[in-house]
Amino acid sequence: MAPQATQRDFSRRGLLGSAVAVAAAAATGTLGGGTAFAASGVTSGVTSGVTSAPAGVTSVPAGGRSQLSPLWREFTAAPFTHPQIPFIGRAGYRGGSALPRPRTGHGFTADVLHYGARPDNSADAAPAINRAIAAAGERGGGTVIVPEGTYRIDDIIRIGHSNVVLRGAGSGRTTLNATKNLTELIGAYGSRYGGDKSSWSWAGGLIWLCPEARWTSLTDAIKAKAWPFEGWTGNKRDEWQTLTTVAPARLGDRTITVDDTRKLKRGALVLLRLVDDSAHTLLEHMAGGGAGPEAYYWDDKTKLTSYVPYEWPVRITAVHGRRVTLERPLPLDVRPEWDPRLTTLAAPLTGSGVEGLTLQAVETPQSPHLLDKGYNGVAFQCAYDCWADDITVRHVDNGFGLIGASACTLRRTKVAGRGSHHPYYCREGSHDNLIEDFTIEQRTVPAPSGTQLHGINVEGLSSYNVWSRGVMEMGTFDSHRGMPFANVRTDITVNNNGRHGGDASAGPLFGARFAHWNIRVTNGRAGLMRIDGLAPYSATVGVSEVTESDQIDVPDFTGDLHTRLEAYGTPEAVRPANLHDAQRALGR
């Protein structure tokens, strides 16, 4: 397990100082092991047997010392506005802070055994667990302890109040045995886009973290067969109020000027709302702009256009006059033609987590593609600054879901058992999440005919999400159309045997500023690993040598994609080895 990064105060002086240190070390071609960057993998190293790379691609001579990436040197000079690499150093819980440590004797604590749960799998423990969770919620938060044992659950475990933590004794010691699926527990869930698909193929969990009122509105709509939108502003995306309009600003700015601050205060969570115009210049901007996106035909991409407005939740850290400082840098430009506003959002779930347990569904054959019944794992919905730590899910249709969720950290998570449709999925405008130290195990039974395996999914204009330090014994990097942008996959070993999804009406596979950094492909299959021929304004750095086979994609945009390819075929030579760790080490 990698050490947790310590929290640092963000300052431009600190960032500049770190960048200068990197540049100085780069001048010699090495970084000493005693530098401040050692924890992030930005260290010197010796490589041998490195294969040569194509002309114009940085590589390391056989037997030579690893060198700092030229792209990394560029990035440190312009970390918030680099054209190919997004700034994701503040992804996850509380801007990338360490997760809260368990504390004893502080606040309300409920032991589920005291509420009637039995740890011997003999009776339904869901009512007792949910009563304990409700008791913690009614007191403004607390910790619900699930001691070592096996607990049968015949219902959904719901965390609907902020500051509530469900804590087992460890993923190898506490097991929840789920006997039913979401179709049985809530009802059939059709797709708002029509057809006979089941939306349980990409929504909901048997452990479901979602604000109480939002969960009720969602499930009431499902029961009424009024298939909802699932994000930040209600089932019809109309439950919001304007707080203020926003003056023009640029990608990477952290301080913005607003028209009126009377409804804004330090610590408040707000939505930045950007509406596309009739010429689709907002979508073009998300794709990096230029001739290719300008020539793209957007009007028939009805599923994609249904994802707009772009809604980005962010916490306010300061208000001075008409100037407002945000927790994270702006993800996009703010232009008058996009009617920029700060608005309200659904009362979010904050400060809640689930830790130290295994959720095991009853083992049933995997359903045909898009017909999942909802043996789903852990879902975060309308959640901000929440987390999962040391969680395993087994025999699930879909593993870990981020649905209209932002600033959440999933750490030390694992998907195991008979095989999943989406082991990890990130959709419905989910931003700034961190999935680190994750594992997708090889399936324990062969895949039934007609099923599908994706892997680590991102779609629906989701942005600035990070997948870091992963082991994928199966699956792929599933950019699922819906033009996700500015996402990072780094320091991952993958047996690339899955396929991406997404229908044509969802538009492009990639927006701008995707980065694949230090990706070790064990089976040599190219699809969605090396993206310099697919993703606009992207970076492919240190990906294993791969060849095209099976699903072969063509770029969505014509002309020059403005992509960068570096250290191709030599992931072992890439420094820094982990793009997220290195960005976090720059300081905040």
Side-chain angles (χ1 to χ4, degrees), residues 456-459 476-481 484 489 500-502 508-510 514 516 528:
I456 53 175
N457 156 279
V458 62
E459 59 182 285
T476 194
F477 292 178
D478 174 31
S479 294
H480 208 90
R481 300 201 177 275
R489 289 116 169 194
H500 77 73
L509 276 170
F510 301 94
F514 257 80
H516 287 182
L528 302 169

Side-chain angles (χ1 to χ4, degrees), residues 121-145:
N121 203 38
S122 63
D124 180 16
I129 295 171
N130 282 327
R131 283 196 299 269
I133 290 171
E138 289 165 1
R139 289 163 174 80
T143 303
V144 176
I145 302 297

Side-chain angles (χ1 to χ4, degrees), residues 4-74:
Q4 293 182 351
T6 57
Q7 187 171 8
R8 301 176 177 85
D9 292 330
F10 181 90
S11 69
R12 288 192 177 273
R13 178 180 295 178
L15 179 62
L16 181 60
S18 297
V20 170
V22 170
T28 65
T30 63
L31 281 173
T35 70
F37 292 88
S40 68
V42 188
T43 58
S44 62
V46 178
T47 62
S48 61
V50 177
T51 57
S52 60
V57 178
T58 304
S59 63
V60 179
R65 295 173 67 82
S66 299
Q67 296 193 16
L68 202 66
S69 157
L71 261 172
W72 173 253
R73 290 199 298 267
E74 286 182 16

Side-chain angles (χ1 to χ4, degrees), residues 1-2 388-392 400 409-416 423-425 434-441 455-457 466-477 488-494 518-520 578:
M1 180 179 67
D389 187 23
D390 183 26
I391 301 292
T392 295
F400 293 88
T409 293
L410 277 58
R411 178 174 169 267
R412 299 190 301 167
T413 56
K414 181 186 295 183
V415 181
Y424 292 82
Y425 59 101
L434 171 62
I435 301 94
E436 62 180 352
D437 302 308
F438 67 94
T439 302
I440 302 173
E441 289 189 351
I456 53 175
N457 156 279
V466 182
W467 293 261
S468 171
R469 292 195 302 271
V471 175
M472 299 173 59
E473 296 176 3
M474 62 179 190
T476 194
F477 292 178
V488 167
R489 289 116 169 194
T490 183
D491 194 7
I492 298 171
T493 300
V494 53
N518 186 7
I519 306 300
R520 303 168 294 274
N578 184 296

Side-chain angles (χ1 to χ4, degrees), residues 228-298:
F229 283 88
E230 299 158 295
W232 297 100
T233 51
N235 295 345
K236 296 183 179 179
R237 300 195 70 181
D238 58 358
E239 297 174 21
W240 57 273
Q241 295 179 342
T242 297
L243 299 172
T244 184
T245 55
V246 182
R250 298 299 299 272
L251 165 73
D253 289 347
R254 283 192 65 212
T255 299
I256 58 175
T257 300
V258 301
D259 181 61
D260 185 355
T261 60
R262 287 176 295 177
K263 297 180 180 179
L264 306 179
K265 63 180 181 180
R266 184 175 182 270
L269 194 60
V270 297
L271 272 186
L272 172 66
R273 189 175 189 270
L274 301 176
V275 180
D276 202 15
D277 58 11
S278 60
H280 299 299
T281 59
L282 176 59
L283 292 174
E284 290 175 2
H285 178 52
M286 292 175 180
E294 289 172 5
Y296 188 80
Y297 189 72
W298 303 96

